[in-house]
Amino acid sequence: MRLAGWGLLALALVPAIRLQGLALGLVSWVGHLTLAAWGVYLALVVVERRRALAKERQKAAK
């Protein structure tokens, strides 16, 4: 699964470079990766906070 992910990331670099040239394509690719990583990070934070709140509510209900 990880190998497939790395392969897809490398494959996504090709159109970025073809459309925008080497320098700007690399910058654009890294920028999109960064935005995606922040999205995953924020989603994980939200999920964990919701779990904590649910546990707190269950504890309070008992």
Side-chain angles (χ1 to χ4, degrees):
M1 188 85 149
R2 285 185 186 178
L3 187 59
W6 281 107
L8 289 172
L9 284 174
L11 194 60
L13 181 58
V14 174
I17 290 174
R18 283 190 180 169
L19 290 172
Q20 299 176 332
L22 181 62
L24 191 56
L26 286 172
V27 171
S28 175
W29 183 72
V30 169
H32 283 91
L33 287 178
T34 303
L35 285 174
W38 270 105
V40 170
Y41 173 77
L42 291 175
L44 290 172
V45 168
V46 167
V47 166
E48 190 56 37
R49 285 190 182 176
R50 286 185 179 179
R51 282 185 190 161
L53 285 173
K55 283 183 183 179
E56 216 174 276
R57 287 180 186 151
Q58 285 179 349
K59 214 177 200 182
K62 289 182 181 181

